Every structure is written in C-alpha cells, then in structure tokens.
Amino acid sequence: MKEILSGNEAIARGAYEAGCIVACAYPGTPSTEILENTIDYKEINSSWAPNEKVALEVGIGASFGGGRALVAMKHVGVNVAADPLFTLSYTGVNGGLVLVSADDPEMHSSQNEQDNRNYAKFAKLPMLEPSDSQECKEFTRLAFELSEQYDTPVMLRTTTRISHSKSIVELGERVTGLPVPKLVKNAAKQVMLPGNARVRHPLVEERCTVLSEQGSTMALNRLELRETGIGIITSGVCYQYVREVLPSASTLKLGMVYPLPHALIREFAASVDKLIVVEELDPFIEEQVKAMGIPVIGKEIISRCGELTPERLSAVFAKIGIVATGTPAQVQLDRNEPSLPQRPPNMCPGCPHRGVFFTLNQLKAYVTGDIGCYTLGFMPPLSAMDTCVCMGASIGMSTGVTKVVSAEERKKVVAVIGDSTFLHSGINGLMDMVYNQSPATVVILDNRITAMTGRQDNPASGFTLMNDPTHSVDLPLLCTALGVKHVRTINPFDLEQTRTVLLEEMNRPEPSVIITDKPCVLVKRAGVFERGPLLEVSEEKCTGCRACLKIGCPAIEWCPGDGKTGKALINPQLCTGCDVCRQLCKFDAIGRAK
Ligand SMILES: Cc1ncc(C[n+]2csc(CCOP(=O)(O)OP(=O)(O)O)c2C)c(N)n1
C-alpha cells in the first residue's frame, strides 16, 4: 500500500516497521511530529521526556534492556543530549538505537543553524541522511539494523525540508521475530569507568574504519553515472535540487554521510572531469574529500549560511559557468504565486504572557529571556526581553548579570521562563540562584502547556503524550523545595496585581519566584481555558489616545476615521475577554460587549 507522508510521519512508520518498541523525545521544530505519529502505533511505547538528555537516556535504557528504541529531537536538542551520546558511542547498544536529529538550515524556527553532521564525526558514529519520505522510512528501518549489526547508536539526520515535505511512501510490514527484551548484565560494556572505556575506544575507531570500507558497497550510497563532465557528491534534500537543476550530471548520492565511503568516492572522482560537493551549511563532505587528496569545488561557490533551493543552486552553478538545464518545479511556483502579505509573529489574543511583558516594559526591567511563545515579548510594542540564548538559560544569566551590576541595577533584573522550559533545564538555574543567593526575580509563565512547538504536554500539564492523566508537578512546591522563600502566584490578566507583585519582588534582595497561573488560549483540553465576556469599544467614549494599542493585541484594530482622531475597535472574532485592554483605558471606553 502507498501513502503520502511527511518525512516525520515516514520516520514514525519506519520505526514501526523496524519493530521499535520505545520512542522518546522532547518536542522541537522540525522534529515534533515524529512522536506525534509514533503514538498511532500501539506497539510503540511513546513518551515526552522533560528534555532531550532524558529522552536519550530513556532510549539507552530500552536498548540495554534489549528493545529497539527511537529518540528524536531538533538539532539544538542534541547539544543537551550530547553527554550521554558521546559515551553511548563507546558502550554500543543491545537493541538497536536510532537518534533522529532534525536540523534547521535557514533557521525557520531555531536560534542557530548548527550542522549536526559534525556530531556524527565528533561522537564517531554512523549518520544516515534521507532525501525524501520513502527514504525516511527505509533509512529508519535500516538504521536499526546497522545499529545492531555494528553495535553502535545510529544518527538519522533530517532537515526541515525533508521533515515537513510530503511524498509517496510504500508501506511495509512490521518485522517479527526480534529477540525478547530481558535483563542481561554486561558491566565491561555498559559501565564506562576508565578501565572499561579504554577497552572500548579502539573498538569505536575500528567500527568507523569498517563502516567506511563497507559503506562503498552499501546500497544507500548510490553512484549514478550520467554525463561525465560534471560529477556531484551530495546528500539529503540537496540531492533533489541537483537532480532538478542539472539532471544530466553524474551524482554520488550519499545515504550515509559519516563515515564516508572512501573507495566509492575515489571511484566517482576518477570517472568525472570536474567534482563538486553540493551541501548546505558546513563543508562537511568537502573537507573530508579534500583530506583524501581529491580536489573538489564546494564552499567557494556555495554559502555556508542558510538553505539551498533549486533557484539558489542554479545561481551558484552560474558563478562557475555551469548553466542549469532542468526546470525546477519550485522556480515555476515562486514566479507565478502572488506573494503573501508579511505577518510578523505576535502573541495570540488572550495570551496570558502579554500583560506580564507590558508590565515589565513599564517597570523598565532588564529581562533575561528564554525560549517559548513568550520570546515574542521581545517584539514591539511590548519590547521587554533583553536576552535569549538557549532553553533554560534565563535564570543562570540573571544570576550572572546581578553579579556584575550595581546594587540599584540589580533590582531591575528579572528572568522570564515558560513552564516547559523551566522543567527542561531551568530548575538547575533556580537551584544555583538559591545556593548562591542571587537577588534576581524569576517569573515562571505557567500556561499549562508547551505552546510554542504545538501544545505538547509536559510534566506540569497533568497528561502524558498518550493523553493519559498523570501527576502534575506542583511548581510552587517545587520552587519552595529548592529553597526559594518567596514564591507567589499571580493572575497575569490583573495588571495591578502583576505590577505590585513584580515591584515588591524586584526590590527584594533575595531570590524570589512569581508564577503566573492562566492557561494558553489554545490549550487543547476542554475546561482549562475559559473565554471571558467579550469586550467592545464605546465609540463615544474612545478619545483615540491609543493606550490600548500598547499591548499589541491582534484583536484590537485601529480605525483611522477622518485621519485626525482615529478610534480603536475590538474584533469580536478574536477577543477572548482577557480584560487586559480594559484596564489600560483611562476613559472607561472599553467595557463588556452588549
Ligand atoms: C534544546 C531545545 N529543545 C527544544 C527546543 C524547541 N522549543 C522552543 S521553546 C520550547 C518550549 C516552550 O514551552 P514553554 O516554556 O512552556 O513556553 P510556551 O511556548 O508555552 O509559552 C521548545 C520545546 C529548543 N529551542 N531548544
């Protein structure tokens, strides 16, 4: 049977067909839908972990126990999981373990565009890179087999285009007859004390050599000889672009981008006149080919930044006099479609984060921020976020700032972090804050969900990925247990309360935590978010002072009127009745809709 699947759906299907029994992840674009699809297969125990390190550790446990395990994360998530990953490379596996790294060239939804192929080389483990959804499925299955055959975790790298594009996939059956998981002690292999690890390291090196040799005959590395004037080494989505732009060129399509199949590369180089590597981001393949003593064209014509497209690739080839002969579908589409209006990202109407950032702006706070929907607090008119580096960084950074500025400036320092991000990696920062008595104030924006990545549950939301009710972390109790003496809960829609509590805690020269307790408007369960009575603007009372526009709510529109005195208007389709704008109107012009 055939189905049209996205890359992420196909990876989930591949895991199912491979007999995978455990899947664990922390959400992050473009990887999130993998676990949102493994839940469709009841044979796979799927769960969200609080962060990527824990997700990988769950996978390692399942593998050591003898089951096949899939672990998924976005590229920056691998930084979080890197510690167990590097040593897992030494221990190897029992049941196959596949780690999906979903990279994001062009940073469609990320804070950097690191090239995670480097992780494969750094951690000395094989990495497969599919070029379409069919390969996403097949390579996932193959990755489990290679993992067990070579006793290694296998990384499967996708990019946003591969994760989110849809193409036809031929479905297969789930494998049967895999060994039944059971506890087997093997300390020499699984306890990485120096004495044991020293024995494992040479095996890791040998494994890389063997994989490189055997890679030359593996079907996933494919030599396609056509015209021999130009030969292109490529992988992933770039392979599709090369085929579209230069259909007559010979290609070496690498399905395994680490370790590289040296013999096959030499054979290809010897069969073509001019060798080019087409790859996004780092010169990962290029540098290794050059290190083999083979001259190759690469990053002198292709940018190290952003993603490629067929159009960009045509322009790249033109630089060295190669004329694109294909007619890429994408190019046609781009030229014919009218461009969409620009829509800057904005918090939703009724978002409980809005009032907090409005108040922080008014208090001229120095806000060490974090990653989530609330990062939009950086945008005008709220303009109340001063830093954003990585998940969980806000609290530690606030401590750092207070260590260097004057006593007066210290009072301005506020860390802002979401519930999911706090549980991901903010807890340690708070522990340090108490331990080292930082005077900063932490605001935990508890909207009961991991909103930014699509409303996934987390350990404080009370439900699992499978939608089963579970314990929900009591955030005030947790902060108290960490030693915070001043933990206060506020209603972020009450601007007066928000301002008073923020001011009190900012002025207190001790660690303090303020927790907001209103849910995300898009929270998926009934009864959590309640729409308030809708608001409307009285045309007579509105003076056109624009005070209500200062919160940047998309539900408030501006009617220019005769051009001199415009008036505000509340769109009833968008208003949630959060009541924040009413509190800003000095003329009592905003009230409940009749
Ligand atoms: C290491 C890492 N993992 C995952 C992500 C993707 N990501 C960005 S913000 C976020 C969580 C946001 O949830 P929360 O803190 O609850 O804030 P909300 O969006 O609900 O306001 C996630 C998973 C990331 N940027 N970095």
Side-chain angles (χ1 to χ4, degrees), residues 95-319:
L97 188 143
V98 177
L99 169 62
V100 183
S101 167
D103 292 13
D104 189 16
E106 199 77 21
M107 293 174 276
H108 295 282
S109 186
S110 304
Q111 66 267 38
N112 75 30
E113 56 181 347
Q114 67 188 49
D115 185 336
N116 275 10
R117 293 177 300 171
N118 293 296
Y119 266 116
K121 188 158 181 273
F122 198 5
K124 301 173 192 285
L125 38 90
M127 175 179 272
L128 309 188
E129 195 177 16
S131 291
D132 59 22
S133 297
Q134 179 71 37
E135 284 191 354
C136 280
K137 195 204 77 165
E138 269 162 24
F139 284 14
T140 304
R141 206 175 146 147
L142 188 62
F144 279 107
E145 287 163 17
L146 291 176
S147 173
E148 287 168 9
Q149 191 182 341
Y150 293 90
D151 192 8
T152 176
V154 175
M155 287 183 80
L156 184 84
R157 179 200 189 230
T158 60
T159 55
T160 304
R161 296 290 163 193
I162 294 295
S163 303
H164 288 171
S165 304
K166 293 197 166 196
S167 55
I168 295 170
V169 177
E170 173 109 42
L171 304 186
E173 297 296 318
R174 182 170 162 92
V175 296
T176 50
L178 293 174
V180 177
K182 64 172 191 293
L183 293 177
V184 180
K185 290 181 186 261
N186 191 350
K189 187 167 180 287
Q190 291 173 187
V191 181
M192 284 302 95
L193 287 171
N196 287 342
R198 269 182 221 120
V199 178
R200 298 296 305 172
H201 186 183
L203 300 177
V204 172
E205 300 297 338
E206 196 186 310
R207 184 177 74 201
C208 288
T209 310
V210 171
L211 273 159
S212 168
E213 282 165 12
Q214 299 190 353
S216 289
T217 51
M218 284 180 190
L220 46 58
N221 292 321
R222 204 167 66 223
L223 204 155
E224 299 171 1
L225 272 187
R226 299 181 194 90
E227 286 173 11
T228 54
I230 300 165
I232 296 174
I233 305 178
T234 189
S235 68
V237 75
C238 296
Y239 168 76
Q240 307 290 4
Y241 301 156
V242 168
R243 296 292 298 125
E244 282 189 36
V245 172
L246 276 188
S248 55
S250 294
T251 51
L252 172 55
K253 179 190 179 306
L254 296 174
M256 184 164 71
V257 288
Y258 193 80
L260 290 184
H262 287 195
L264 193 61
I265 290 172
R266 285 191 197 287
E267 184 189 335
F268 185 58
S271 355
V272 296
D273 303 333
K274 186 184 279 191
L275 197 60
I276 306 174
V277 173
V278 174
E279 58 188 331
E280 291 171 331
L281 304 179
D282 293 346
F284 182 77
I285 298 171
E286 177 188 338
E287 281 179 354
Q288 294 182 68
V289 173
K290 281 183 174 160
M292 291 167 64
I294 300 174
V296 65
I297 301 168
K299 289 297 160 185
E300 61 267 51
I301 54 167
I302 300 174
S303 173
R304 291 166 189 246
C305 307
E307 46 174 13
L308 280 171
T309 62
E311 211 162 34
R312 284 181 189 169
L313 192 58
S314 303
V316 161
F317 284 146
K319 287 189 210 167

Side-chain angles (χ1 to χ4, degrees), residues 325-341:
T325 48
T327 42
Q330 173 91 34
V331 177
Q332 296 292 330
L333 269 178
D334 283 350
R335 291 212 180 106
N336 296 337
E337 292 284 309
S339 56
L340 292 168

Side-chain angles (χ1 to χ4, degrees), residues 284-532:
F284 182 77
I285 298 171
E286 177 188 338
E287 281 179 354
Q288 294 182 68
V289 173
K290 281 183 174 160
M292 291 167 64
I294 300 174
V296 65
I297 301 168
K299 289 297 160 185
E300 61 267 51
I301 54 167
I302 300 174
S303 173
R304 291 166 189 246
C305 307
E307 46 174 13
L308 280 171
T309 62
E311 211 162 34
R312 284 181 189 169
L313 192 58
S314 303
V316 161
F317 284 146
K319 287 189 210 167
I320 49 169
I322 299 174
V323 180
T325 48
T327 42
Q330 173 91 34
V331 177
Q332 296 292 330
L333 269 178
D334 283 350
R335 291 212 180 106
N336 296 337
E337 292 284 309
S339 56
L340 292 168
Q342 292 286 310
R343 284 188 307 164
N346 193 359
M347 288 173 194
C348 302
C351 174
H353 302 334
R354 182 172 278 109
V356 174
F357 285 97
F358 173 78
T359 311
L360 287 167
N361 176 316
Q362 294 228 308
L363 296 176
K364 298 197 169 36
Y366 182 87
V367 180
T368 56
D370 227 299
I371 309 193
C373 286
Y374 50 91
T375 314
L376 294 170
F378 147 81
M379 302 280 288
L382 299 170
S383 308
M385 187 171 287
D386 299 284
T387 72
C388 174
V389 174
C390 70
M391 284 192 76
S394 58
I395 304 182
M397 287 180 64
S398 72
T399 300
V401 175
T402 57
K403 279 178 192 272
V404 295
V405 297
S406 68
E408 218 25 60
E409 285 199 314
R410 257 177 238 153
K411 293 182 186 164
K412 294 282 174 200
V413 181
V414 178
V416 174
I417 189 164
D419 50 336
S420 186
T421 305
F422 177 66
L423 296 169
H424 175 276
S425 47
I427 298 176
N428 293 61
L430 188 59
M431 203 187 305
D432 173 66
M433 202 172 161
V434 176
Y435 177 46
N436 288 303
Q437 285 300 296
S438 157
T441 302
V442 175
V443 180
I444 301 177
L445 300 164
D446 180 13
N447 61 358
R448 320 264 165 81
I449 209 82
T450 314
M452 191 191 203
T453 40
R455 309 174 298 161
Q456 291 77 26
D457 282 299
N458 67 50
S461 69
F463 290 87
T464 67
L465 169 62
M466 310 301 285
N467 207 21
D468 294 325
T470 183
H471 175 75
S472 134
V473 172
D474 183 328
L475 292 174
L477 202 59
L478 174 61
C479 297
T480 308
L482 289 173
V484 184
K485 294 208 180 70
H486 313 281
V487 181
R488 301 174 72 177
T489 301
I490 59 164
N491 169 5
F493 295 137
D494 182 339
L495 293 183
E496 184 60 41
Q497 186 196 39
T498 303
R499 185 185 171 91
T500 309
V501 173
L502 263 170
L503 256 182
E504 281 172 15
E505 297 308 331
M506 285 165 74
N507 282 319
R508 195 194 293 280
E510 289 174 58
S512 51
V513 173
I514 301 168
I515 302 172
T516 66
D517 78 342
K518 288 290 172 204
C520 171
V521 286
L522 298 174
V523 76
K524 43 192 174 182
R525 285 185 191 87
V528 182
F529 167 74
E530 280 164 24
R531 217 172 184 212

